[in-house]
Amino acid sequence: MPQHKISKRIGKRKEKTHTTANYPVSSRTRSQTHYIRLVTILPGEIGEPMKLKIRHTTFPVTPPSTYSNSNITLDAIRRTLPVGWSHPLTPKYEALSYCWGIPDRHHTGTEQPRHLMVRQNLSEALTWLRHPSQSRPIWIDAICINQSDKKEVSQQVARMGQIYASALKVVAWLGPGSPTADLAISKLSYLGEQVECREPEWFKPEVPLPYDDETWNAIGLWVVQEIQLGSKDTIVKCGEKELKWSLLRRAIPVIDAKRKGVPDRVRVRESYQLLLMMCRNSYDEDLLRFIGEMSYRECHDDRDRIYGLLNLLPPDLASLIEVDYSKSVSEVFEDFVSARIRQAKRLEFFACCSPNDNSRCSWVPSMWYETHDPAPSTVCFRACGMSAAIAEHGPQGQLNVSAISIGSVGDVANLLDGFDLDFLKAKVYYNGKTSLEVYLSTLLLGLVSERLPDEEGFPSLRFLKRAIAALAYPGMRNYVSNIPDRWKIMFQDWMGDNVFWFHTVEGYVGTCRDFHVQSGDQIFVSLGCNHPIVLRPIENGNFRLLGECQVAGFMDDEAVLGQLPRPWRVVVRNRDDGYEWPHYLNEETEVEVEEDPRLGKLPEDWEPLHRARTPNDPRYFAWYRNKLTREEINSDPRLLPDALRKRGVDVQTITLV
């Protein structure tokens, strides 16, 4: 199966070539805010020269403030009009979505006559899309946008979401086809059509699908992002075979819900995971992962790793990003991260930063980043509580943030260097727990049954004490044979060479992975950031961000609100919106509450607002409104800097460069 991935510009791996075209009309689209170019594929038989007609056409203008990625299509607009009516300015056309592919050129004739030089992948698509007896109007970005005109590219790319949404349908071209591709499309089409009709049992998670190895190997479709914006008639096309996007969106979630029968090799495929995100409309639920996955696809212009995805970003975030191809790649990504901080009031991209990045600013991850989370989101660590980032993007790439100092790194060691089990059993940590319990909970990133009572498969601290003893004492190695394999793997992963313990001068214990800390590095909890951060002091009192870390006893808002008093402890529950959320359990009364008991009473001039999650919201949020000013915020007003200072918390403003 051809592996052509996300977007008109985003495919398999990055490349730096440019499409050239000799335009049969003026090189710039007339009054670009009111016109677009359209290509008409003139009829012809296979083997005949390809003939195209390129024209300008009027196109309705949608103000940026009213357009979003909420999948409002032309079909939806038409349903609001009387029967037989249509928008007088909207042209009738299809839109092609495909991977740009390799820069080989093929000549394509035009009616004028002139010649266009197009890439191999587009040449193949045009061949398969041509009808033998009818003309086919279609919008193709490589032809309809003058790629050598940066101003035109900036203006037209900003409108691309509206162009795709207004098309009669989007054709997602995957390639010329193969027996494997035909099999996948056939099976997925049948599954999507019959799952609620002829095969009513197939949707149940416990019912395996009757697919053989050949079928599972075939299911690995590469999809494109623009199909999300198309009409109900949008299709995925591979050679002669077609599959309706609506059927594919039914079929893939059914496969993913299966508890057995789906080979792991299918579930772990990067293409499958991306397809699943798109079928669920869940790209907005994990923005870090989505942008990170897209960054490794083939790309005609690296700036399109942001601009090419604008229509899949949260609407409020997309509205803050101005398409400008005169900016450098690093400037585009810096602007994107800064816009996300302003929009969501969170510092979630700190999890993607690494001292190994070559970014101009340490707080901006590389365009080709990987996440370096010190702990999985399942455990719901919120070192800053429900606070908002107080951040200002200054000159020369500076970022001023409000943060609380935890301490200074003293010594650093590999995970088990100098491990003394008897010493850890005897020593008491600052929060009253034994150092052994602290080490073990930190080692497993909080993935213990005491914290995750609703999840299966996580060990208890009691079990961990026995297990770590078996690993620490050679005479007890035979005990390891009784440890489930999944826990062995977890131990091994977090005892690797990329994981480092550190102790602070103040006596705290922490871990970081994928980067080195050194004596003198500073540990802070920044408002709006879920994990503590490691900073390296530089000249003028500024800092460089190394990354996020885990510090025992400071992962549940202790730096902001102090220790959680006994008999309270944190437990993680699953919410109706699909997210895990921290709750607080009183072990004596067995009362469980969602609000942190340390917060105290809400100030009289603030009131809570109850709102459903939207794509604009960060992972953790709660809405409040000021009764006097009517200001609305997505964080707890009790954790604003001034409120914290009244509690005696030393909130500082630090500068990251």
Side-chain angles (χ1 to χ4, degrees):
M1 186 84 182
Q3 296 181 351
H4 303 306
K5 296 189 183 179
I6 303 293
S7 173
K8 79 286 169 185
R9 295 170 177 271
I10 298 178
K12 197 171 76 175
R13 287 278 173 184
K14 65 178 187 294
E15 61 175 77
K16 296 182 179 178
T17 58
H18 297 276
T19 298
T20 59
N22 297 315
Y23 284 84
V25 290
S26 60
S27 63
R28 181 167 292 177
T29 302
R30 309 173 193 167
S31 182
Q32 291 160 346
T33 58
H34 296 281
Y35 288 83
I36 60 171
R37 293 189 187 91
L38 287 179
V39 175
T40 300
I41 306 175
L42 300 178
E45 299 291 341
I46 294 177
E48 293 181 357
M50 178 66 63
K51 294 184 179 181
L52 308 175
K53 183 178 180 180
I54 303 177
R55 62 187 175 92
H56 287 112
T57 183
T58 56
F59 193 76
V61 178
T62 300
S65 60
T66 62
Y67 178 73
S68 75
N69 70 346
S70 56
N71 292 342
I72 299 177
T73 65
L74 188 59
D75 283 341
I77 297 173
R78 285 182 179 138
R79 285 194 293 270
T80 68
L81 299 175
V83 176
W85 288 58
S86 63
H87 194 294
L89 297 180
T90 303
K92 292 180 173 58
Y93 64 94
E94 299 172 87
L96 178 66
S97 179
Y98 69 105
C99 164
W100 277 49
I102 59 176
D104 297 340
R105 310 292 187 187
H106 283 234
H107 287 284
T108 300
T110 66
E111 223 183 35
Q112 274 62 30
R114 296 189 186 181
H115 289 89
L116 293 176
M117 300 294 288
V118 299
R119 298 188 179 194
Q120 173 73 30
N121 196 28
L122 178 53
S123 178
E124 292 174 345
L126 292 171
T127 300
W128 287 99
L129 291 170
R130 180 169 56 177
H131 194 276
S133 60
Q134 298 178 0
S135 296
R136 189 170 192 172
I138 193 165
W139 187 88
I140 305 171
D141 63 341
I143 298 176
C144 297
I145 299 176
N146 184 355
Q147 304 298 322
S148 62
D149 187 331
K150 289 185 177 180
K151 183 177 180 180
E152 178 177 326
V153 171
S154 297
Q155 292 175 333
Q156 294 296 310
V157 168
R159 306 182 65 200
M160 203 167 286
Q162 184 186 357
I163 292 172
Y164 278 104
S166 300
L168 294 174
K169 67 180 175 183
V170 175
V171 179
W173 173 252
L174 302 182
S178 68
T180 299
D182 293 348
L183 176 61
I185 288 178
S186 174
K187 294 295 185 180
L188 290 170
S189 180
Y190 182 82
L191 178 60
E193 288 175 342
Q194 307 301 333
V195 72
E196 296 175 356
C197 301
R198 292 174 57 187
E199 309 290 353
E201 298 294 304
W202 281 16
F203 79 95
K204 296 180 179 179
E206 64 273 13
V207 177
L209 295 172
Y211 293 165
D212 55 19
D213 283 347
E214 182 182 10
T215 300
W216 286 122
N217 287 331
I219 296 175
L221 292 176
W222 306 95
V223 297
V224 290
Q225 67 143 329
E226 290 82 1
I227 53 182
Q228 283 283 36
L229 301 170
S231 72
K232 61 180 176 62
D233 296 319
T234 290
I235 61 171
V236 176
K237 186 173 179 64
C238 191
E240 293 181 336
K241 295 290 184 179
E242 295 181 355
L243 170 63
K244 283 189 175 183
W245 172 236
S246 59
L247 298 181
L248 185 61
R249 290 186 67 174
R250 290 185 194 174
I252 294 300
V254 169
I255 291 174
D256 189 65
K258 295 300 176 185
R259 295 170 186 164
K260 58 182 178 179
V262 182
D264 288 341
R265 65 179 181 275
V266 174
R267 292 188 189 275
V268 300
R269 282 178 186 166
E270 194 175 283
S271 57
Y272 174 82
Q273 291 297 322
L274 294 174
L275 179 56
L276 182 62
M277 282 202 303
M278 300 189 76
C279 289
R280 288 178 168 175
N281 284 325
S282 61
Y283 36 77
D284 49 84
E285 295 177 1
D286 196 343
L287 184 64
L288 295 184
R289 178 185 174 192
F290 182 65
I291 297 296
E293 292 283 3
M294 296 304 99
S295 68
Y296 282 94
R297 302 303 177 274
E298 182 182 300
C299 199
H300 172 68
D301 186 319
D302 283 338
R303 288 165 290 200
D304 286 323
R305 301 185 191 283
I306 299 300
Y307 295 155
L309 298 174
L310 281 183
N311 300 293
L312 294 183
L313 296 178
D316 288 356
L317 173 59
S319 69
L320 297 177
I321 299 172
E322 179 182 358
V323 179
D324 185 354
Y325 282 86
S326 67
K327 292 185 176 181
S328 67
V329 174
S330 61
E331 288 174 326
V332 169
F333 205 56
E334 182 179 325
D335 287 348
F336 166 71
V337 175
S338 177
R340 177 59 175 177
I341 293 173
R342 297 197 311 274
Q343 178 261 317
K345 302 294 189 293
R346 301 296 188 270
L347 301 175
E348 57 208 336
F349 273 95
F350 280 9
C352 309
C353 294
S354 167
N356 301 320
D357 292 343
N358 296 318
S359 303
R360 182 171 78 109
C361 312
S362 65
W363 55 273
V364 178
S366 164
M367 182 74 80
W368 302 276
Y369 67 78
E370 295 180 357
T371 55
H372 305 278
D373 292 313
S377 59
T378 306
V379 297
C380 294
F381 285 147
R382 294 192 310 187
C384 65
M386 193 70 76
S387 64
I390 309 300
E392 180 182 2
H393 187 186
Q396 289 80 49
Q398 295 178 343
L399 185 72
N400 299 316
V401 299
S402 295
I404 302 156
S405 174
I406 292 180
S408 177
V409 173
D411 58 289
V412 182
N414 190 262
L415 192 58
L416 291 180
D417 286 351
F419 189 86
D420 187 330
L421 184 61
D422 293 327
F423 174 77
L424 294 177
K425 286 181 177 179
K427 186 177 180 181
V428 177
Y429 197 59
Y430 91 96
N431 58 8
K433 298 180 180 179
T434 68
S435 291
L436 179 59
E437 290 176 320
V438 169
Y439 270 73
L440 291 178
S441 182
T442 303
L443 172 70
L444 267 295
L445 317 173
L447 294 169
V448 292
S449 60
E450 289 88 347
R451 187 178 182 93
L452 305 170
D454 295 339
E455 302 292 337
E456 296 181 359
F458 293 118
S460 66
L461 280 174
R462 180 180 178 184
F463 176 88
L464 285 172
K465 292 176 185 179
R466 298 198 304 268
I468 201 68
L471 294 174
Y473 292 129
M476 298 178 65
R477 297 279 182 188
N478 59 339
Y479 181 79
V480 178
S481 61
N482 296 321
I483 301 176
D485 288 341
R486 62 182 178 274
W487 297 345
K488 285 183 190 176
I489 294 171
M490 197 179 297
F491 278 124
Q492 293 165 1
D493 287 346
W494 285 88
M495 292 181 183
D497 294 335
N498 65 330
V499 180
F500 298 91
W501 287 106
F502 61 81
H503 295 83
T504 70
V505 174
E506 295 75 15
Y508 308 136
V509 175
T511 62
C512 60
R513 65 187 182 105
D514 298 326
F515 66 90
H516 293 270
V517 295
Q518 65 186 33
S519 178
D521 288 341
Q522 301 296 303
I523 312 297
F524 280 83
V525 168
S526 181
L527 299 186
C529 187
N530 289 327
H531 301 110
I533 55 177
V534 184
L535 305 179
R536 182 154 295 164
I538 58 174
E539 65 277 358
N540 302 324
N542 297 332
F543 298 91
R544 288 193 65 81
L545 174 65
L546 301 185
E548 295 186 347
C549 67
Q550 185 184 185
V551 181
F554 286 94
M555 303 305 293
D556 291 311
D557 210 8
E558 290 89 348
V560 179
L561 297 176
Q563 289 297 311
L564 188 63
R566 293 182 178 181
W568 294 94
R569 66 179 174 89
V570 177
V571 294
V572 176
R573 300 297 186 186
N574 296 317
R575 286 170 41 128
D576 292 339
D577 61 4
Y579 283 80
E580 300 89 1
W581 208 264
H583 284 225
Y584 301 87
L585 174 65
N586 187 311
E587 294 182 302
E588 292 180 354
T589 64
E590 298 185 354
V591 171
E592 188 174 311
V593 297
E594 186 172 318
E595 184 167 274
D596 193 325
R598 294 169 292 182
L599 280 170
K601 187 179 179 181
L602 186 68
E604 292 184 359
D605 52 346
W606 288 92
E607 61 182 350
L609 299 176
H610 301 287
R611 292 179 177 172
R613 179 181 295 274
T614 73
N616 294 308
D617 293 315
R619 182 176 184 84
Y620 300 115
F621 70 95
W623 284 94
Y624 294 85
R625 179 168 56 206
N626 188 294
K627 299 176 183 177
L628 301 177
T629 66
R630 314 306 291 175
E631 176 190 10
E632 297 182 0
I633 60 176
N634 67 354
S635 59
D636 197 311
R638 290 165 288 191
L639 299 181
L640 292 170
D642 288 344
L644 293 177
R645 291 187 180 102
K646 290 180 180 179
R647 287 175 174 261
V649 180
D650 184 16
V651 181
Q652 307 175 33
T653 299
I654 58 176
T655 301
L656 308 181
V657 296

